[in-house]
Each structure stands twice: as C-alpha cells, then as structure tokens.
Amino acid sequence: MSETGPTGHVFRPGDEGYDAERTGFNLAVDHRPAYVVGAGSSEDIVGAVRRAADRGLGIGVLATGHGPSVPAGQDAVLITTGRMTGVTVDPGARTARVGAGARWHHVIEAAAPYGLAPLNGSSPHVGAVGYTLGGGAGLLGRRYGYAADHVRSLDLVPADGTPRTVTADTCPSLFWALRGAGKGNFGVVTAMEIALFPVARLYGGGLYFPAELCADALHAWAEWTRDLPEEMASSVLLMAYPDVPEVPGPLRGHHVTHLRIAWSGPPAEGEPLVAPLRAVGTPLLDTVSDMPYRDVGAIHHEPTASAAAHDRGTLLTGLPPAAVDTLLATAGPAARAPFVTELRHFGGAYARPPRVPNAVGHRSAAFSLYTGADPAAGDAPDRLHVSMRPWSGGGSFVNFLGSGETEASRLSAAFDPGDFARLTELKRTYDPANVFRVNHNIPPGGALSP
C-alpha cells in the first residue's frame, strides 16, 4: 500500500495505486519510476525534490500527461500534481492564481461568473500550468497572444529545494526562461498568477465537411485566413471517424474536414465573417453559433479518454495553394492516412513581442501543422512533415513536441537562434546536475548569473 509522509502520498512498484498514479493521458510513454509522489501541497513538492536530489534521482513532473516526453525509469521519481487544483480569481485585477494540477476547465469555471476568460487551450482537460509554460496557443491567442505572455508570477521549487516566487522583478532571467521553456526543466511550478480577459461569449463551433468537399474546404479556409480580424481564431482537422456508436451519427464512418471557428469580437460580425466557409457546400454538421465562453471546449471537442499517440508539430511560414495540395496528397481522404492532421492559424497578436520578453520562439509563424498517430502508424506522419518543408522555416512549438521528439536538436528548433544557448546556461545555473531531466530536456551549459 502507499505511504503518506512529509513528501505527500508515496507510491512504489507493487503498491495499490502505483499504476494509476504513474499513468497520464497519453499512453505512448510508460512511466515506471522508483516511486511516485502524489503531491497535495507545495510543501510536499519541496520535500519530494530534496529527497530525490539527495538520492541522485532524476525528477519528472506529471499533471495530466497530455504532453509526454521520455519515460521515468527506476533512476527517477515522478511527482504528480493532480491534487493541487485550486483556482482563485481576483475579478478587480482580472487575474487568477492557478494551482499546479488545475486543468483549464477549473480556471474557466472560476472566471466565467465575472465575465472573464483565461488564455486556455482547445481542450479544457489539459493542465493549465504545463500548457502555459510551453507557450500556450489557444482560441484567444490571435487577439491577445500566447498564454506565456500574460503570466504575472510563478511559484517554483527548483533543484535545490528552496521555494521561490519568480517575477520579472525578482528574477528576470529565470522568469524569461520559464515562460516558454519551463515545462519541468527548471523546477516544479507549484502555482502561477495569470491575466484574465473580458470575454464572456463566443461565436464558435465547427463546420464538418464530407470527404468530397475536403479539398474545396481546405483551399477556401487557407485563402480566408489571409485577411481576418485578430478576434477570429480558426483551425482545421482532417480525420477519418470510426463507425462506432460513440461518434455523432452524421460523422460516423466518414472522413471529415472539421473547420473550427472561435470569434471573440462583436457578436453581430461573426456570422458574416464565416459565410465564405459555409459557401463551400453542405456540411455533415454545422455547430457554429453563439455560446458562453465556458462551453469553449465544444469547438474542438477533443477526446478525454486516455490513449497512446505519437505527436509531432511543425511551424509553417504560409499555406499557399501548392502547400494545400501537398498536404492533401499525404493526409487527404484519398491518402487513407493512419493519423489525424491539424492546421492552426497563427499571426495576429502571436507575432508581437510581449511587454515582458519570454522564451517563446518563432513568432513570425503563420500556421502550425500537427499530427497525432497511433504508435503502430510508424513513420507515416513524418512523411507529411517532410513534404511540407518548403513552407516551413524549420521551427517547432514546445507544446506540440511529442514523445518521439526528445533529442536536443528538436527541442532547440522550438526557440529563436541564440535562445537555446541562453537556456542551457540558465539550466547550468539553476539545475547543474540536471535533476529535472525526465522531459524534453535542456542540458546544462555554461554558467549565467541569475
């Protein structure tokens, strides 16, 4: 059985609860650490970090497990934060204090009564802290920027086990690094304070087009994105839905081009803006309508059940007709691709530097390309990413790096030139022994003063 002590609930191999505690949303990574610490407080995390460091163990952090990297083995301890779900909203200041294990739905529900919204991701079930530390590109991003751009402070337990509050004033170098490159590399973030925004409703939903309209819909969407207000967020998912009862009837057994819409501007302007997409043809399903922001998860309606998936992401500089045709040849209905493909429209506020600089790279990206595949798909998704290289600047996005992209060269591609070297220097300062190494790892480099 598990034990409870000054480091939280401790689960060891063979204990009841060990398997559940070590398992995250994405089953592509099979964690089997020396033990798991189920933290319920920052004090638990302080104790867990000190104990692991004293024993020479590596440390990994697991909130929800949506962003897997490398498995924790017997030379490591896994700290889970899923019990730390507290959210406190200050409506006057338009801020929220968010616990390490809170999911976005916790934050959305806490902010909604005040007509406020966080810069959450497309799935409300994703952990808020990890998403934000990786940059955070969501449905309000073209209007307000990355989630990392609007972090006010971070409570951190670094490798020495001494908790500290990191802000632009108290430790500017570390504050820079954590916002965009802080997913488990510089310590455990036990809480964060973030800005909220006055968005109570959206005109949003999905247009689900059948296979025969896939090419027309994708070309129309790419052209439509060329001149849009920043209040309009959109993306496209190409997916073959299985013929199973869990899938909505109109989509069951169909290859679907799912255009996702989230308009946060004046309500009356939403429908006319979407009209060119509706003109593509008759969709299988049209769910675009006015909605309260707390229902934002319905736009992408991403799965909530655990599954194994190999993720990969590439940032694109543009999406001209030739790029669309290339994508269709590898991921369109006729290709019978054994993976799902998603394109997200960037630009707008994403492209502008934040008031307080951070490590988020490649702000000039116009689109992101993401693939998710069953591990049995092999290198099929890689062929798509290779074929799209003519429209890629070679960059990637931290939040879209998967378990197959753990080498330093892939991680370094997520940052602007020179920034990865700066990050390795900061790693040397704050974690010279690379205690926090169960992640997309930034290795220690040269020294840099805090």
Side-chain angles (χ1 to χ4, degrees):
M1 59 184 297
S2 68
E3 59 186 272
T4 302
T7 59
H9 298 274
V10 178
F11 302 86
R12 303 181 186 281
D15 287 347
E16 182 180 354
Y18 173 82
D19 287 339
E21 198 73 17
R22 67 179 176 84
T23 302
F25 172 80
N26 192 328
L27 303 179
V29 168
D30 185 19
H31 293 296
R32 294 186 179 275
Y35 58 92
V36 186
V37 176
S41 67
S42 58
E43 291 78 16
D44 289 346
I45 291 176
V46 168
V49 169
R50 291 176 177 173
R51 183 181 186 185
D54 288 345
R55 297 183 176 192
L57 296 172
I59 297 176
V61 184
L62 179 68
T64 65
H66 281 80
S69 53
V70 297
Q74 288 297 299
D75 60 348
V77 57
L78 193 64
I79 300 175
T80 61
T81 62
R83 295 168 178 80
M84 300 172 63
T85 60
V87 177
T88 304
V89 171
D90 183 336
R94 290 183 177 174
T95 61
R97 180 174 172 81
V98 181
R103 298 174 186 251
W104 277 122
H105 70 83
H106 295 119
V107 188
I108 292 167
E109 288 296 330
Y114 306 103
L116 300 172
L119 298 184
N120 57 279
S122 53
S123 171
H125 297 278
V126 167
V129 169
Y131 166 93
T132 301
L133 297 179
L139 299 180
L140 296 176
R142 280 179 37 83
R143 182 174 180 180
Y144 294 113
Y146 290 96
D149 296 346
H150 298 281
V151 175
R152 304 291 181 84
S153 69
L154 296 157
D155 289 350
L156 181 75
V157 179
D160 66 5
T162 303
R164 62 196 301 173
T165 297
V166 182
T167 69
D169 296 324
T170 62
C171 192
S173 292
L174 189 54
F175 193 58
W176 170 84
L178 288 170
R179 295 170 304 123
K183 293 183 71 173
N185 264 292
F186 297 96
V188 185
V189 171
T190 61
M192 66 179 181
E193 182 180 321
I194 59 172
L196 301 174
F197 297 87
V199 179
R201 304 193 69 83
L202 291 172
Y203 182 72
L207 299 172
Y208 300 77
F209 289 103
E212 59 269 24
L213 291 176
C214 176
D216 290 344
L218 196 53
H219 276 286
W221 177 75
E223 180 63 29
W224 177 75
T225 61
R226 295 179 189 278
D227 185 24
L228 283 176
E230 293 182 356
E231 296 90 342
M232 180 63 81
S234 64
S235 63
V236 179
L237 180 75
L238 304 183
M239 176 178 177
Y241 278 92
D243 188 3
V244 296
E246 293 79 11
V247 174
L251 310 180
R252 198 175 300 159
H254 291 282
H255 185 285
V256 174
T257 302
H258 178 193
L259 304 187
R260 288 88 71 99
I261 304 298
W263 166 251
S264 61
E269 298 177 18
E271 187 170 354
L273 279 169
V274 178
L277 298 180
R278 284 193 164 113
V280 168
T282 302
L284 297 168
L285 189 64
D286 180 345
T287 66
V288 182
S289 63
D290 179 69
M291 65 169 61
Y293 192 84
R294 66 191 340 143
D295 293 341
V296 65
I299 295 176
H300 283 235
H301 71 83
E302 295 178 358
T304 58
S306 296
H310 281 169
D311 304 325
R312 182 170 177 182
T314 300
L315 295 177
L316 305 178
T317 57
L319 199 62
V324 174
D325 289 337
T326 298
L327 186 145
L328 286 168
T330 308
R336 298 185 179 276
F339 53 87
V340 299
T341 302
E342 181 192 68
L343 290 162
R344 295 193 184 196
H345 185 208
F346 276 47
Y350 287 130
R352 294 192 289 271
R355 183 180 60 83
V356 180
N358 60 33
V360 176
H362 305 298
R363 288 181 178 269
S364 62
F367 297 89
S368 67
L369 168 65
Y370 163 85
T371 53
D374 185 284
D379 64 355
D382 296 338
R383 292 195 291 272
L384 172 62
H385 289 272
V386 169
S387 74
M388 297 296 287
R389 280 180 180 169
W391 303 280
S392 169
S396 56
F397 183 51
V398 171
N399 281 351
F400 289 160
L401 293 174
S403 58
E405 300 182 285
T406 57
E407 62 272 20
S409 61
R410 286 298 300 158
L411 180 59
S412 65
F415 304 102
D416 290 336
D419 282 355
F420 191 69
R422 182 182 177 188
L423 288 165
T424 64
E425 293 169 349
L426 283 163
K427 179 76 168 182
R428 174 77 173 180
T429 299
Y430 293 102
D431 186 13
N434 202 15
V435 173
F436 290 99
R437 57 181 179 265
V438 185
N439 48 38
H440 288 97
N441 193 238
I442 298 172
L448 183 70
S449 300

